Amino acid sequence: MPHAVMHRLPMSAPDDVSALAAAIAAGTLDPASVVAVLGKTEGNGCVNDFTRGFAVQSLKLLFSRHIAPDRVDAIAFVMSGGTEGGLGPHWLVVEARAGDHAATGPSLAVGVAATRSLLPEEIGRVAQVDAVAAAVAAAMAKAGIAAAEDVHFVQIKCPLLTAERILEARGRGASTATAETLKSMGLSRGASALGVAVALGEVARDAIDDRAIGVDKTLWSGRASTSAGVELMVVEIMVLGMSAAWSGDLAIDHAVMADGIDVEPVRAALRRLGFDAAGQLSTDEQARLRALLVKAEASSTGRLRHHRHTMLDDSDISSTRHARAFVAGALAGVVGHAEIFVSGGAEHQGPDGGGPCAVIARKA
Amino acid sequence: MPHAVMHRLPMSAPDDVSALAAAIAAGTLDPASVVAVLGKTEGNGCVNDFTRGFAVQSLKLLFSRHIAPDRVDAIAFVMSGGTEGGLGPHWLVVEARAGDHAATGPSLAVGVAATRSLLPEEIGRVAQVDAVAAAVAAAMAKAGIAAAEDVHFVQIKCPLLTAERILEARGRGASTATAETLKSMGLSRGASALGVAVALGEVARDAIDDRAIGVDKTLWSGRASTSAGVELMVVEIMVLGMSAAWSGDLAIDHAVMADGIDVEPVRAALRRLGFDAAGQLSTDEQARLRALLVKAEASSTGRLRHHRHTMLDDSDISSTRHARAFVAGALAGVVGHAEIFVSGGAEHQGPDGGGPCAVIARKA
Amino acid sequence: MPHAVMHRLPMSAPDDVSALAAAIAAGTLDPASVVAVLGKTEGNGCVNDFTRGFAVQSLKLLFSRHIAPDRVDAIAFVMSGGTEGGLGPHWLVVEARAGDHAATGPSLAVGVAATRSLLPEEIGRVAQVDAVAAAVAAAMAKAGIAAAEDVHFVQIKCPLLTAERILEARGRGASTATAETLKSMGLSRGASALGVAVALGEVARDAIDDRAIGVDKTLWSGRASTSAGVELMVVEIMVLGMSAAWSGDLAIDHAVMADGIDVEPVRAALRRLGFDAAGQLSTDEQARLRALLVKAEASSTGRLRHHRHTMLDDSDISSTRHARAFVAGALAGVVGHAEIFVSGGAEHQGPDGGGPCAVIARKA
Amino acid sequence: MPHAVMHRLPMSAPDDVSALAAAIAAGTLDPASVVAVLGKTEGNGCVNDFTRGFAVQSLKLLFSRHIAPDRVDAIAFVMSGGTEGGLGPHWLVVEARAGDHAATGPSLAVGVAATRSLLPEEIGRVAQVDAVAAAVAAAMAKAGIAAAEDVHFVQIKCPLLTAERILEARGRGASTATAETLKSMGLSRGASALGVAVALGEVARDAIDDRAIGVDKTLWSGRASTSAGVELMVVEIMVLGMSAAWSGDLAIDHAVMADGIDVEPVRAALRRLGFDAAGQLSTDEQARLRALLVKAEASSTGRLRHHRHTMLDDSDISSTRHARAFVAGALAGVVGHAEIFVSGGAEHQGPDGGGPCAVIARKA
């Protein structure tokens, strides 16, 4: 039975892969087993955030020194910009190692899959929803996760529209979901999230049509985390869940935060994983927590628990930056540190103003 | 016996005093009894934050319609800019009403005092420390607070250096603590905080000399909250504490946060005030909490619980803005809403990276 | 014959009206003759720019000490936030004084008018275009400006949609041009500009329908400068032009900049007003220049003279702030100082990436 | 006789080296002759600008495919972040080709040199001034530039202090010029600029002592352009000037701007290079202009031509970003496009608020 390994490693800059290099040198990180690297980098997390590309280029240079080019290309590199508030820039390296781990019983399982290449006119529409739903099912099968309730997080990287892609579609007489490239990112993230929701039975397929995507905030997945990038036309999917077909000392659970300070569901997830979590995690318990991943956003109502917030009115700081700093504080207050993977842009990912939160920990 | 009344009221913009006007019209707020108005306004909280001045001008226009000019001038207007993260812009109106309240026993007491006018060359130096220490003692006496341990928060507004003031001093052959006006704000805030520390016995007077101000981070008050403004040369002081000479249904306690996510001391203060506070405050308990005031800052070490933070390296967003958003999240996660008075610039106010936190609540 | 007086006065902060107060005290500024005050204030010029409101409140307090409330209300207060680059915050006070000036011949003329109150569903649509066109004609008549070619600048303040206004319209079964309040600002500015274009014969009325507003960048006025504000439902209009019915030593002309560095048309306008303008204006000539007003924006193509610009990709600084700083530099390089009224948001005001520019000067 | 070649090439992102790759493929750019690549990248130009490192990493990857590692290492990579206003991100590639060019007569000459490794305690002090002055002389000799007046631009990259370097010095009993790492960047830039000033005879060596560095704004070079980086302890120097020992069709001249809108000296330099420059450069003349390099900064007085500017008071946007956008506009207004190498941080580089400006053009 395979087993998953999760490394949480610090970075001093977006191109600082020295912690990975050291772990490889020490034999604790096996580059050949790596299926994904997530990076929380210190850019603005918005349009002109080049820390993500810089991090990916640096990671590829590192891995190229250890494994073959096609193996490097097979790794999912998921960079999320923005370490506002006290957030600590860090890497999450996910390995799927062949062979049994001493620890048995249902364990953290990982599966990856991708859709076919989408056409520009499919982005942000039900065609994308359906393609993602099918690929999530495929990734679950690869991970050996039988039931939807055993899936706890689905990390997705999906395409966006560019001026060129819009023109190419028009040349074929097709029209795209939007002519605005920035808006296409939200629509693609949202359609991907709804694909997860369909695959996991959270939303009925027939409740979704093109007009609902990006608009109907009552439709959401409590386990999807999606980001859009210019470099691909397929949708890449990584499913994290629990499976009896895996061994290992890691487990995963999740919570849905109803808003940015809805920490009690996260505390409940921690308790289900055997943490005490009455107040802030103790130092011992912190060592057992491997990773916390969460989506954050400002509520579109301009209200948080009936009080006004100003995140959407601030023309100096993007609301996504406000939201990351704030949710980081709320969760760091619970777990006792701020190396948390807080990501913005939560269309159809959790309710309006809230978001899914995954907890990965060593078994109790 | 006098009694204190604390109103927490929303604002939709820095000049929105409609909630105060409505409370005055309804008879629940007595303008003649107001001793202080604190405002958490939605500016950047830095040099070019004009929301503070706009708020004060708007408040004075309101009060001028109800009380005589000299009474308006006697009110302490303390504006703190910056509602990052989910922070809700709000007013805290403090009344000191004559006459007994039905509720008895030691209660929230308020006292105000001011130092003499400082000379420019005294700002940010031990002369300011001594003047503030004496004025804190005077404010305690006015508030009927006998013991230093009954003081839980000292809100201070102090002067800063301008180019003109520096030149005036030089004209007399005197040199100022710094020639940089921005730096003088930090020195003045720090000297004021040390004055509180001396008055309350937190720091020995002979541990302080001019060179330690702004430099020695081991010297601090756990109850001072200071801000510098250009409009005054005296130091204005408002002491909040518990006194048997006051009646009323309000009580105050405080905590010192060692860093931005050190929420357990705040939880302990809540418990001392009769809150359950096991997890997030319940809706009923939230109604009992009248105000939460806290200082926030990024630690100068660039570290939070051993992990790197990037607040001091971000040239797009001031570290004070990051810190407010983050600490707001940590505390809102505890109390269940974000109408919290989080203020930046914590020189000698709590340890490096942390800060004092005051809790004002209806008695249990 | 009436004559116009134009004061350009410095401000040290948005509430600093001391230069106006001094001019009133000195008798050089007659508050009873003031028809408009324009203010270039040092906010961000975007949604949460409170320097505009603070400036207006401060101006009203000043004028209230000199003229009756209804006269204060009759003054047009047009605040434009944003003094990026080296722009100098300043006031432009426009007086229309009764009685002949020693200087005769066609002179700067001023006329103000307003539309009826618009309904929410009219904002950003042809109904607004038509109402503005009629009011521009009325303002021209009041100013004694007979021909459209004698109009050189039309400053407009127009309403925007709020959530409440949208709901009110829906309650009557009407739908608004957009459900997004920020977007309504651009649509209202654009519809106002097109109203000017129709009134001045720059665009044929039948070339405009609802769908073209905010979309068809080939339709524009070379003399409109419009801004949207929440405080009104009418459209306020100030026409500036040349009229034989006015006396005085001031004249006005205008240019249309094709992009942010298209300074030669401005140089040509300066020459028509008798300036040498071969290189930068001499100090003597600078004294003769009373005011320079211009609209600035980033071109939607992402290109400036075939080269890429990054103003639309910068998630840290709004493109309007970039554009103001840049155009300020281009024009300050010509006129030799930076007390220039550069305003952002140029929908249908000049071609894409460019904008109208008015020059007001003492006659040669 | 060698000859210099200067390529100005566009970039669509910091890692977009495709224009260089295409020029190499087309044979118009010879990677083996490249001595320097300057990049104007689209970051914030401040502390957390990673576009510079990303650009250098991308350039090195490109050159490594064409030339040996030690040759790659010998290229000077000088990245300057910040394309505010309409500035176009671009590369300037400088080649020193062996062999005669058809065009003869004094031509653009290039010479590079480096100082020895500085000790931390030498940074920002006269030891650095002296080391730079000697290395500038060496670079002049290599470039075959005999007289100081033939030097028109000296581009420098110099070290800064880090916490580690400060501690290392202390461990040896030495104290550094400052304990603040950010401040050390300005001191190092300033000391380097003064080294240029000494080498070129602009400032007498005995007018400089440690206390003047960073303080005495009357001491400056009109030809130095310096930037500090963490990756080196030597000072790297590239001298650009005119030499009879070089052939080629390129020439260089320079101007000193007294403030950000002092464009007439630049116009005069253009005229000396044979441009008409009466108004904005014509399209033909624009093709002849190869590169414009300039330093920009906000004047420390808070004034521009007697009027207030707000660049130093803006806590949302760094003054360096304001200054680049503004000076870009002023110069783009003269030359007719905005692919200009405007760089911030001008300590001892030109007078307070101004800066040196170099013009490189094809000979008339």
Side-chain angles (χ1 to χ4, degrees), chain A residues 29-273:
Chain A
L29 194 162
D30 173 14
S33 302
V34 172
V35 291
V37 183
L38 285 73
K40 184 94 274 268
T41 63
E42 59 199 278
N44 62 24
C46 302
V47 174
N48 63 328
D49 181 350
F50 297 102
T51 63
R52 296 173 297 213
F54 195 16
V56 170
Q57 191 178 73
S58 303
L59 287 166
K60 287 185 173 176
L61 281 170
L62 171 70
F63 281 106
S64 295
R65 292 198 290 271
H66 297 283
I67 55 176
D70 63 317
R71 297 297 303 269
V72 175
D73 291 342
I75 297 175
F77 295 106
V78 181
M79 301 296 118
S80 166
T83 56
E84 295 81 4
L87 281 175
H90 66 287
W91 308 104
L92 294 175
V93 184
V94 185
E95 288 187 58
R97 293 201 190 166
D100 282 4
H101 187 279
T104 54
S107 300
L108 175 64
V110 184
V112 295
T115 65
R116 61 177 168 80
S117 264
L118 298 184
L119 292 168
E121 61 267 34
E122 292 178 321
I123 292 175
R125 287 185 170 147
V126 290
Q128 183 176 352
V129 174
D130 291 336
V132 169
V136 169
M140 284 174 62
K142 284 190 194 172
I145 303 177
E149 64 258 33
D150 291 331
V151 173
H152 292 287
F153 211 59
V154 183
Q155 183 70 46
I156 282 184
K157 207 160 132 192
C158 51
L160 49 82
L161 291 173
T162 63
E164 290 72 25
R165 289 169 187 173
I166 294 168
L167 287 174
E168 187 272 330
R170 281 188 194 158
R172 289 182 287 99
S175 79
T176 52
T178 176
E180 298 173 44
T181 57
L182 183 61
K183 195 171 178 182
S184 78
M185 297 178 73
L187 290 175
S188 183
R189 287 192 298 255
S192 294
L194 289 175
V196 176
V198 167
L200 302 185
E202 298 172 293
V203 172
R205 171 62 185 82
D206 59 11
I208 303 169
D209 59 20
D210 285 350
R211 284 164 307 175
I213 299 172
V215 173
D216 185 344
K217 293 178 185 299
T218 65
L219 306 175
W220 46 268
S221 167
R223 288 167 272 175
S225 171
T226 72
S227 68
V230 75
E231 69 277 17
L232 74 180
M233 280 302 285
V234 304
V235 181
E236 292 182 357
I237 286 145
M238 175 173 66
V239 165
L240 296 172
M242 293 297 284
S243 169
W246 287 60
S247 61
D249 63 351
L250 295 178
I252 185 170
D253 207 321
H254 81 278
V256 177
M257 298 175 73
D259 59 33
I261 58 175
D262 189 27
V263 296
E264 293 306 313
V266 179
R267 212 185 289 275
L270 286 163
R271 285 204 194 97
R272 289 194 299 272
L273 288 166

Side-chain angles (χ1 to χ4, degrees), chain B residues 12-15 42-43 48 50-51 53-55 57-58 61 316-317 321, chain C residues 12-15 42-43 48 50-51 53-55 57-58 61 316-317 321:
Chain B
S12 64
D15 61 331
E42 59 199 278
N48 63 330
F50 297 103
T51 63
F54 195 15
Q57 191 178 75
S58 301
L61 281 170
D316 296 309
I317 302 180
R321 306 199 72 179
Chain C
S12 65
D15 61 331
E42 61 200 276
N48 63 330
F50 297 102
T51 64
F54 195 16
Q57 188 181 73
S58 303
L61 281 170
D316 295 310
I317 301 180
R321 307 199 72 179

Side-chain angles (χ1 to χ4, degrees), chain D residues 143-349:
Chain D
I145 303 176
E149 64 259 32
D150 291 329
V151 173
H152 293 287
F153 212 60
V154 184
Q155 184 69 47
I156 282 184
K157 210 160 130 190
C158 51
L160 51 82
L161 290 172
T162 62
E164 289 73 24
R165 290 169 187 172
I166 295 168
L167 286 175
E168 186 274 330
R170 282 188 194 158
R172 288 181 287 101
S175 78
T176 52
T178 175
E180 297 173 44
T181 59
L182 183 61
K183 195 171 179 182
S184 78
M185 296 179 75
L187 291 174
S188 183
R189 286 190 300 254
S192 293
L194 290 174
V196 176
V198 168
L200 302 184
E202 299 172 292
V203 172
R205 171 60 185 84
D206 59 14
I208 302 168
D209 60 18
D210 285 347
R211 281 164 310 173
I213 298 173
V215 173
D216 186 345
K217 293 178 185 298
T218 67
L219 306 176
W220 48 267
S221 167
R223 289 168 272 175
S225 171
T226 71
S227 68
V230 75
E231 67 277 19
L232 73 182
M233 279 304 284
V234 304
V235 181
E236 293 181 356
I237 286 145
M238 175 174 67
V239 165
L240 296 173
M242 293 297 285
S243 169
W246 287 60
S247 59
D249 63 350
L250 295 178
I252 185 170
D253 208 321
H254 82 278
V256 177
M257 298 174 72
D259 60 32
I261 58 175
D262 189 27
V263 296
E264 294 306 314
V266 179
R267 215 184 286 277
L270 286 164
R271 285 206 194 94
R272 289 194 299 273
L273 288 167
F275 290 86
D276 176 26
Q280 199 171 74
L281 294 194
S282 66
T283 308
D284 279 358
E285 289 194 320
Q286 286 175 32
R288 200 153 75 69
L289 179 67
R290 296 309 303 145
L292 199 62
L293 303 103
V294 66
K295 293 293 286 194
E297 70 177 0
S299 61
S300 69
T301 59
R303 299 270 152 180
L304 174 72
R305 308 264 174 116
H306 306 300
H307 300 300
R308 181 174 166 244
H309 69 70
T310 61
M311 295 187 272
L312 298 173
D313 298 328
D314 191 341
S315 303
D316 296 309
I317 302 179
S318 160
S319 70
T320 55
R321 306 199 73 180
H322 280 290
R324 278 191 295 265
F326 186 62
V327 173
L331 290 177
V334 173
V335 302
H337 70 80
E339 259 188 11
I340 305 175
F341 199 89
V342 185
S343 166
E347 297 87 353
H348 298 301
Q349 298 151 69

Side-chain angles (χ1 to χ4, degrees), chain A residues 14 42 50 53-54 57-58 316, chain D residues 14 42 50 53-54 57-58 61 316:
Chain A
E42 59 199 278
F50 297 102
F54 195 16
Q57 191 178 73
S58 303
D316 296 310
Chain D
E42 59 200 278
F50 298 102
F54 195 16
Q57 189 180 73
S58 303
L61 281 171
D316 296 309

